[in-house]
Amino acid sequence: MNPLASFATDPLFFHGVHWVELLIVVIKVLAAFVVLLVSVMLMIWFERKVISDMQSRIGPNRAGPYGLFQTLADGIKLFFKEDLVPDQADRFVFKLAPYLALLPALLIFTVVPVGGDLSIAGHHFELQVADPPFGILFVLAMSSVSVYGVMLAGWSSGSKYPLLGSVRASAQMISYEAALGLNVVAVVLTARALSTRAIVASQAHAFWDWNLIRLGFVPFFLFLISITAELNRPPFDLVEADSELVGGFNTEYSSIRFALFYLAEFMNTITMSAVVVTLFFGGPDGPIPRFIPTSDIWMPIVWFALKTLVFLFIYVWFRAALPRLRYQLMDLGWKVLIPMSLGWLLVVAAVIVWGWWGLLVALAEVVLGAGLARAFGVGAARTETEEAF
């Protein structure tokens, strides 16, 4: 047996690695890449159409039936526009930054299970590009790498407004990354595995075994808020405040490099919606009508696509419905989300170890939280009194 096979969790490699297995991997990579690109094109059209319907407008309706080819037309236009590089820019980093923003979204999708198992010509494999035993850690690592693309784009532009936008964006992404990671740890504790396929398998018995329900709903909502801030989607799109930053970190970009940032934003939205479905909603798990031939192959893909589409609609709904609010973004991340995520993680760990007696930890947290809130309130009141005099 090939020594690499002992470290593989994908059944494709159980009998070694040969040219057939490598060919299947290449096909899966190309298929994932094509699916993501087509999904981004449809997602942009979907967002523009849904927002226009919600706001009583028309939306794209010229290029192709129902405007379906409008995104393709915009991409072709941007590809042939003049590519401008500012005189004061660091040319190498300036050109590298869009790819650093785009690649993490592509790589994260490779560890997301989009269906069940499939057998072709005696080769059994999963409908997933890769299933490393540390898959969820890979997701967290790649989501952290995307910060570099944003930061380097603003710094390398040689202009103060993109720099301010990139500093604001990186600070926001780093602060919400902590809360995101704590809620992922709660999922890992429950599933007792780091593999995304194992996390899905731990939820596959019935819908009440979904981590959404097993973890008490709170980690899901905290994760959703954190990931929305990570994606810079409304109402957390302060990094693109036009009245303050002229568009944010990508102000100096044009042509295909601007298109890459635009592509990365929507691709990240699709990828992270898929991650939410994987962690909390059972991934491709769902009822399968066994009386329909081959339904066990394509029905999990349908369930995965439908669940992901629900979250994509929610993100579009947020953009259409929420105004630009002024609030303390960093206070929400550091003073609210992180303490709540850490507190709930301690409760989950205590329940896993001690059973229902672990709820005593929740009671202790409530008492300590009330004491801290009282202490902070007294301190703030004394500060206001001292400032008044």
Side-chain angles (χ1 to χ4, degrees), residues 35-51 60 67-68 71-72 231 233-234 262-271 273 308-319:
V35 167
L36 264 183
L37 288 183
V38 174
S39 299
V40 169
M41 186 177 72
L42 294 176
M43 174 60 188
I44 297 173
W45 171 84
F46 176 72
E47 178 160 323
R48 295 177 68 179
K49 274 294 189 183
V50 171
I51 291 178
L68 274 171
T71 305
L72 181 61
L231 297 173
R233 298 281 302 187
Y262 197 68
L263 185 68
E265 177 184 341
F266 281 90
M267 191 176 291
N268 270 312
T269 303
I270 295 171
T271 301
S273 296
T308 305
L309 184 61
V310 169
F311 283 98
L312 295 179
F313 176 78
I314 289 174
Y315 281 124
V316 176
W317 190 8
F318 285 168
R319 171 159 282 177

Side-chain angles (χ1 to χ4, degrees), residues 182 185-186 189 338-355 358-362 364-365 368:
L182 289 172
V185 171
L189 284 178
I338 292 179
M340 288 184 66
S341 301
L342 181 58
W344 201 263
L345 174 61
L346 292 176
V347 172
V348 170
V351 170
I352 290 175
V353 175
W354 296 327
L359 294 178
L360 294 175
V361 174
E365 288 180 358
L368 290 175

Side-chain angles (χ1 to χ4, degrees), residues 236-255:
F236 300 99
D237 58 338
L238 298 184
V239 299
E240 298 177 3
D242 296 346
S243 61
E244 304 163 33
L245 300 171
V246 203
F249 60 88
N250 56 6
T251 301
E252 301 291 348
Y253 282 87
S254 62
S255 185

Side-chain angles (χ1 to χ4, degrees), residues 29-291:
V29 170
L30 293 177
F33 181 70
V34 171
V35 167
L36 264 183
L37 288 183
V38 174
S39 299
V40 169
M41 186 177 72
L42 294 176
M43 174 60 188
I44 297 173
W45 171 84
F46 176 72
E47 178 160 323
R48 295 177 68 179
K49 274 294 189 183
V50 171
I51 291 178
S52 64
D53 288 341
M54 288 182 174
Q55 298 176 349
S56 298
R57 295 186 288 107
I58 295 176
N61 65 346
R62 299 295 184 188
Y66 304 102
L68 274 171
F69 296 152
Q70 185 62 53
T71 305
L72 181 61
D74 291 340
I76 295 173
K77 176 193 71 174
L78 286 171
F79 189 83
F80 287 102
K81 288 187 72 173
E82 183 180 2
D83 183 22
L84 302 176
V85 179
D87 289 338
Q88 301 299 320
D90 185 314
R91 300 182 67 88
F92 175 75
V93 179
F94 185 83
K95 295 178 180 180
L96 176 66
Y99 300 99
L100 290 179
L102 180 64
L103 283 177
L106 286 169
L107 294 175
I108 287 174
F109 192 75
T110 61
V111 299
V112 174
V114 299
D117 299 339
L118 186 63
S119 294
I120 297 179
H123 294 278
H124 187 69
F125 59 91
E126 300 167 339
L127 290 177
Q128 178 181 358
V129 176
D131 182 26
F134 49 85
I136 198 62
L137 295 182
F138 181 79
V139 171
L140 293 176
M142 288 299 102
S143 65
S144 301
V145 169
S146 62
V147 179
Y148 290 96
V150 172
M151 187 63 207
L152 292 177
W155 172 82
S156 64
S157 296
S159 176
K160 61 181 179 182
Y161 287 111
L163 178 61
L164 289 174
S166 64
V167 170
R168 177 184 287 186
S170 57
Q172 172 179 326
M173 295 169 77
I174 291 171
S175 62
Y176 283 86
E177 188 82 26
L180 186 148
L182 289 172
N183 290 292
V184 168
V185 171
V187 172
V188 170
L189 284 178
T190 306
R192 299 179 181 178
L194 293 171
S195 165
T196 51
R197 176 69 61 170
I199 291 174
V200 168
S202 70
Q203 308 172 69
H205 303 292
F207 77 91
W208 52 80
D209 286 325
W210 289 357
N211 288 325
L212 170 73
I213 299 174
R214 287 198 296 180
L215 293 174
F217 296 93
V218 174
F220 161 69
F221 288 109
L222 296 177
F223 186 90
L224 184 63
I225 294 172
S226 301
I227 208 63
T228 305
E230 281 276 305
L231 297 173
N232 298 326
R233 298 281 302 187
F236 300 99
D237 58 338
L238 298 184
V239 299
E240 298 177 3
D242 296 346
S243 61
E244 304 163 33
L245 300 171
V246 203
F249 60 88
N250 56 6
T251 301
E252 301 291 348
Y253 282 87
S254 62
S255 185
I256 190 62
R257 303 190 199 284
F258 175 80
L260 288 176
F261 278 115
Y262 197 68
L263 185 68
E265 177 184 341
F266 281 90
M267 191 176 291
N268 270 312
T269 303
I270 295 171
T271 301
M272 287 305 175
S273 296
V275 171
V276 172
V277 169
T278 300
L279 293 180
F280 295 98
F281 289 85
D285 177 53
I288 298 176
R290 299 291 181 180
F291 59 88

